[in-house]
Amino acid sequence: MQNTKKMVIAALMAALTCIATMIIKFPTPTMGYIHLGDGFVLMCGVLLGPWAGALAAGIGSMFADIFSGYASWAIATLLIKALTAMIAGLIFHGFRNNLHQAAAPYIGIITGGIVGEAIMVLGYFLFETGLAAAADGSFSAAALAAGAAASAAGIPFNIVQGTVGIAISALLMPVLLRLNPESEPARSVYRK
């Protein structure tokens, strides 16, 4: 029964991540967009743990790219968002297990969110740099430097997206933790 519940919640979180990424998005001058999906990416790691959360976040984000016309980004998004959720989940569960106080979940989600979203920003920067160099036809130092310079324009927008994701996950956490597949440990934090 526990595994079935976790699989259903993982599928639900992947779908919510996909929908939150696709439905409300704000285009950026770099041909990308800022979306609300990162809040759900972080919540995947929190609710499902780092490993199942990574799968749900990566798959949901990847499908959002495919359905939104960004299929060339899908594999990179799968890996980057999975890593973001995994790191956030590891840090969140580390804080929750080691700090026995009511603030531990919030400290965990904010700290995990900052580290996870920093990985997201770096991951997309590196991927865009590689894409730009590949478009130039070589991976020479000059092509990589030009790609890095062009890709740097997306960093502020990814930071905004990550910050919004952290805020959304912190706001939704008390409600979504009631879905926790492991049940009682997460709920007991809010009974104190």
Side-chain angles (χ1 to χ4, degrees), residues 62 65-66 69-77 127 131:
M62 177 187 70
D65 274 0
I66 291 169
Y70 291 88
S72 62
W73 293 78
I75 298 300
T77 293
F127 181 71
L131 271 182

Side-chain angles (χ1 to χ4, degrees), residues 101-191:
Q101 54 185 315
Y106 291 102
I107 294 169
I109 194 64
I110 291 169
T111 305
I114 290 169
V115 175
E117 295 297 343
I119 288 170
M120 180 270 294
V121 171
L122 178 64
Y124 279 117
F125 172 74
L126 293 174
F127 181 71
E128 289 176 36
T129 298
L131 271 182
D136 188 50
S138 75
F139 286 96
S140 66
L144 288 171
S151 301
I155 291 174
F157 300 107
N158 283 332
I159 290 172
V160 169
Q161 179 175 297
T163 304
V164 170
I166 294 167
I168 288 170
S169 62
L171 288 171
L172 291 178
M173 191 170 53
V175 174
L176 291 178
L177 279 178
R178 294 189 178 165
L179 296 174
N180 190 334
E182 266 84 64
S183 243
E184 292 307 311
R187 287 188 198 165
S188 66
V189 172
Y190 297 101
R191 291 187 185 145

